[in-house]
Amino acid sequence: MAVFRRVFGLMVFSVLMIEVANAACSNGTCKILDECSSDADCGAGLYCFSCLAKSRCVRSTATDQFKLVNNSLPFNKYVFLTTHNSFAIEGEPSHTGVPRITFNNQEDNNGVRALMLDTYDFEGDVWLCHSFKGQCHDYTAFEPATDTLREIEAFLSANPSEIVTVILEDYVQAPSGLTKVFTDAGLMKYWLPVSKMPQNGADWPLVSDMVANNQRLLVFTSVRSKEQSEGIAYQWNYMVENQYGDDGMKAGDCFNRAESSPLNDTTKSLVLVNYFRSVPVKPLACVQNSGNLIDMLQTCHAASANRWANFVAVDYYKRSMGGGTFQAVDTCNGELLCGCNNVHSCVAP
């Protein structure tokens, strides 16, 4: 009985010490995974988020790998956080006057450098939209594409060393419809032309050269003919991509989506890894964007001829149980840049 009392006492003491440690963390002193009650408790680059009932400090910002290491390598030697259905932002007001009846995929795109957009003909213009039976409707439309593209132009103008990639699931049939909206948004001056894009798996231009030449916008379309007719790169000539949705989230299994060549096709020098549900469920995103995502990136690395993803595409990118999508991208950048499992380890001591 005395032994039991001593063991029980030690257990109570341990719990109290943990609670004291947690209680001592506040006013910006809390580190990643520390329990918190508000964003103000968490240190720089963190915010207070509740996942699986406990509120903890988790990462809220991406690492700028170019400032941390350098930008002197080819574009395909870096990894970029990518938002799936970047336009489907929670709280976006209706632009059609009709309440929207469709799902959201994101809360914002702050710190993201690659955007996946779905483009449709709608109301005599090009819109960003979810579809119903293959068509954009007033109750599934988000906004005219030009609105988002102008935001990209403003970002590139204000940040002359940044590069943005736009990946279009393209349903626009209007002749030169995409060219028009990119021109109207003022983005053509940043365009990386198809003539500068490598064939047969060769390296891409150096990021430093892309910046120096102001060719800082990469645009890919899912429509083959537009590479010839509008000078927009046909995605599958340059990139492999794994299966999206629920079928692409099975642990230990990574395979190409139907439109892509096999993941181990090294004649395509970019790799995109999708990791998001077929129907987004925000409360589950904190789990899927954490350890499960890093596990899938490792699985896809093996399936892609030992190549790390260049684009990591997710829903609700800021939601996690700790490092989340930011840590996943840091892992891939670390592996690419110095063979380490964290890009911060690439910095000389």
Side-chain angles (χ1 to χ4, degrees):
M1 192 70 176
V3 172
F4 173 80
R5 284 197 297 269
R6 284 197 297 273
V7 171
F8 181 75
L10 287 172
M11 291 173 61
V12 171
F13 178 77
S14 298
V15 170
L16 288 173
M17 288 299 98
I18 292 171
E19 293 299 322
V20 167
N22 286 337
C25 160
S26 63
N27 297 322
T29 63
C30 297
K31 297 181 172 62
I32 192 167
L33 293 180
D34 284 346
E35 291 188 30
C36 53
S37 57
S38 72
D39 291 348
D41 291 339
C42 302
L46 304 175
Y47 76 112
C48 190
F49 174 65
S50 178
C51 183
L52 301 182
K54 282 188 177 290
S55 292
R56 298 184 183 277
C57 291
V58 301
R59 279 185 63 173
S60 63
T61 55
T63 302
D64 186 336
Q65 68 266 38
F66 300 131
K67 290 182 180 178
L68 191 65
V69 186
N70 60 58
N71 68 351
S72 61
L73 297 177
F75 179 78
N76 57 299
K77 300 302 182 183
Y78 300 94
V79 187
F80 302 91
L81 179 59
T82 307
T83 43
H84 167 241
N85 287 340
S86 312
F87 60 92
I89 295 176
E90 192 174 81
E92 176 70 25
S94 171
H95 292 254
T96 65
V98 176
R100 191 180 301 112
I101 306 173
T102 188
F103 50 83
N104 303 305
N105 299 84
Q106 306 297 338
E107 294 159 291
D108 59 56
N109 290 291
N110 298 330
V112 173
R113 296 295 178 267
L115 309 173
M116 301 174 82
L117 305 176
D118 293 3
T119 51
Y120 288 82
D121 295 306
F122 182 65
E123 293 189 343
D125 201 352
V126 176
W127 278 61
L128 305 179
C129 192
H130 286 318
S131 67
F132 180 69
K133 295 185 176 179
Q135 299 293 318
C136 181
H137 301 272
D138 52 8
Y139 55 87
T140 63
F142 278 82
E143 64 180 9
T146 308
D147 291 0
T148 291
L149 297 181
R150 284 179 176 147
E151 292 180 23
I152 295 173
E153 195 285 327
F155 174 80
L156 289 171
S157 177
N159 298 275
S161 64
E162 295 286 359
I163 293 173
V164 172
T165 300
V166 176
I167 301 168
L168 301 175
E169 188 171 323
D170 182 7
Y171 299 96
V172 175
Q173 297 183 13
S176 299
L178 287 180
T179 298
K180 181 180 185 304
V181 292
F182 277 96
T183 300
D184 289 349
L187 283 170
M188 300 307 293
K189 59 182 174 287
Y190 304 111
W191 200 272
L192 180 73
V194 169
S195 61
K196 295 288 185 73
M197 297 183 177
Q199 303 293 321
N200 299 317
D203 280 339
W204 283 67
L206 304 182
V207 167
S208 54
D209 288 344
M210 293 169 67
V211 170
N213 296 328
N214 205 33
Q215 294 174 331
R216 299 184 289 118
L217 178 66
L218 286 75
V219 183
F220 297 94
T221 174
S222 57
V223 178
R224 181 188 296 272
S225 63
K226 292 186 181 179
E227 183 159 319
Q228 293 297 321
S229 64
E230 298 187 59
I232 305 173
Y234 178 51
Q235 178 181 357
W236 311 116
N237 283 343
Y238 307 94
M239 186 184 302
V240 295
E241 180 179 333
N242 74 315
Q243 179 60 41
Y244 55 86
D246 294 348
D247 288 342
M249 299 183 73
K250 297 174 181 176
D253 191 13
C254 185
F255 59 97
N256 61 286
R257 62 182 289 176
E259 300 90 337
S260 170
S261 59
L263 297 179
N264 62 0
D265 179 1
T266 56
T267 66
K268 315 297 188 292
S269 49
L270 295 174
V271 178
L272 188 155
V273 171
N274 297 300
Y275 199 70
F276 48 82
R277 300 175 68 87
S278 299
V279 176
V281 181
K282 186 164 65 170
L284 299 181
C286 65
V287 178
Q288 68 195 40
N289 288 346
S290 298
N292 294 350
L293 171 61
I294 292 180
D295 289 345
M296 181 55 70
L297 288 169
Q298 292 171 336
T299 298
C300 290
H301 169 262
S304 303
N306 294 324
R307 294 181 295 170
W308 293 99
N310 301 106
F311 301 101
V312 179
V314 298
D315 286 335
Y316 295 114
Y317 74 100
K318 286 197 300 190
R319 294 183 169 266
S320 78
M321 298 174 67
T325 61
F326 307 119
Q327 187 62 45
V329 171
D330 281 0
T331 296
C332 291
N333 268 316
E335 294 287 358
L336 272 173
L337 293 172
C338 64
C340 305
N341 65 5
N342 192 317
V343 68
H344 292 273
S345 300
C346 299
V347 180

